[in-house]
Amino acid sequence: MTTTPTPPPPALLLRSLGQPDVLVNGRRVVWPARSAEELLWFLHAHPEGAHRHVLLDALWGLEDTPAAANRFRVALHRLRTTLGRPDAVTEHQGRYHLHPDVVAASDTAALHRALTASRASGNIQEREALLRQALASAGGEYLPHLTGDWVEAARSAHRAALVEANLTLSLLHCEARECPLAAQALLRAAETDPLIGEDQHQRLMACLATTRGKYAAIEHYRRYRAYLANELGDTPMPDTVAFAERLKHGEQPCAHAAFVPEGQPGTPPPPGR
């Protein structure tokens, strides 16, 4: 007796950044209903899974009634059918999960894989390569076409990962005495999230003063001060203000070490690679 071999699952690509898209065997899918797409992206943002009542409330503001449960079953069926995988979503002890292969097929997953590998690596060159790989996978806003508290939380987590990658990359460049590259990575971190911490803004001012001159550093300080005033009703810390004043008067900060407030001893920079 011969058996028909099971065909391999379709090749998937999930693009969650910039212009969201889902490709099955190289072809863009057409969603039969927005609810199926929303269910995919919610589970993508929560790989740990979620119970049905959580999904209903977060996605559609519904209580877990028989009518709502039926809506969920329809959305789930459409999602599995659209991806061509009956196992695209699995259920275990009441929690629904995307199949790990589906999660792994996304650009966001590639970003976090590279970040995780970079944290684990003890080789500076390998860490830098992994961070660059992570950032290359991270262009654009996360799911810009969707709204809701759950997607805002996922966007915040994505921005935090980008900030971590850029800040770590800036430190690696600083240790290698690659000042312009350190400044560029710090600028990307600040553009991703202006609230990266005043110590990082101080480092950026030091890098800009060294690589582009004091006027570039002071201009960044002015923009940061305006952001705090307009968005938070706050002002920079006194040591940041004092550092800006010193830069105005021509102080040349060390570009190879983090800023050390006045009156505190610094430490020599580590040797280059």
Side-chain angles (χ1 to χ4, degrees):
M1 178 179 178
T2 60
T3 58
T4 303
T6 302
L12 297 178
L13 176 60
L14 276 62
R15 295 173 179 157
S16 61
L17 305 171
Q19 182 62 45
D21 213 349
V22 178
L23 281 73
V24 177
N25 290 330
R27 294 185 178 182
R28 183 182 183 184
V29 306
V30 177
W31 292 101
R34 186 178 177 89
S35 58
E37 183 190 9
E38 290 173 337
L39 179 58
L40 167 71
W41 290 124
F42 184 94
L43 292 173
H44 172 267
H46 300 83
E48 73 282 3
H51 289 90
R52 187 176 66 191
H53 71 274
V54 173
L55 290 161
L56 289 170
D57 178 59
L59 289 173
W60 306 304
L62 299 174
E63 295 183 2
D64 196 358
T65 63
N70 184 64
R71 176 175 179 174
F72 173 77
R73 282 192 293 270
V74 171
L76 181 59
H77 173 73
R78 286 171 170 168
L79 168 56
R80 288 167 168 160
T81 301
T82 301
L83 296 186
R85 290 191 58 152
D87 65 346
V89 179
T90 59
E91 182 268 332
H92 179 66
Q93 295 184 345
R95 296 180 72 91
Y96 292 85
H97 308 76
L98 274 185
H99 191 285
D101 290 348
V102 179
V103 176
S106 73
D107 48 4
T108 317
L111 163 67
H112 287 280
R113 280 197 301 271
L115 273 176
T116 300
S118 173
R119 296 186 195 110
S121 174
N123 181 280
I124 292 177
Q125 287 83 1
E126 183 181 35
R127 291 191 72 196
E128 181 180 332
L130 287 164
L131 289 168
R132 291 191 178 281
Q133 176 187 335
L135 292 168
S137 305
E141 186 76 1
Y142 180 81
L143 300 178
H145 67 309
L146 296 180
T147 59
D149 292 343
W150 70 269
V151 77
E152 287 298 333
R155 285 188 191 122
S156 294
H158 173 61
R159 283 193 292 268
L162 293 182
V163 167
E164 177 193 342
N166 277 304
L167 291 181
T168 304
L169 193 58
S170 77
L171 289 173
L172 294 177
H173 286 312
C174 192
E175 291 173 1
R177 306 180 191 276
E178 298 165 344
C179 305
L181 294 176
Q184 289 173 16
L186 277 169
L187 280 169
R188 289 194 298 268
E191 289 168 358
T192 302
D193 183 3
L195 298 177
I196 55 175
E198 289 210 18
D199 57 334
Q200 302 296 347
H201 283 284
Q202 291 169 359
R203 286 188 61 235
L204 177 51
M205 290 161 61
C207 285
L208 290 173
T210 301
T211 60
R212 305 184 189 182
K214 69 178 183 180
Y215 296 109
I218 296 307
E219 179 58 28
H220 175 78
Y221 167 72
R222 289 172 177 163
R223 289 197 300 269
Y224 176 60
R225 185 180 62 188
Y227 173 85
L228 290 178
N230 296 333
E231 300 296 328
L232 303 176
D234 202 355
T235 58
M237 296 188 301
D239 60 340
T240 304
V241 177
F243 185 45
E245 287 298 318
R246 301 205 305 275
L247 290 177
K248 287 180 186 178
H249 289 89
E251 178 176 306
Q252 293 295 318
C254 175
H256 306 308
F259 168 65
V260 178
E262 210 168 23
Q264 296 184 18
T267 56
R273 282 179 281 190

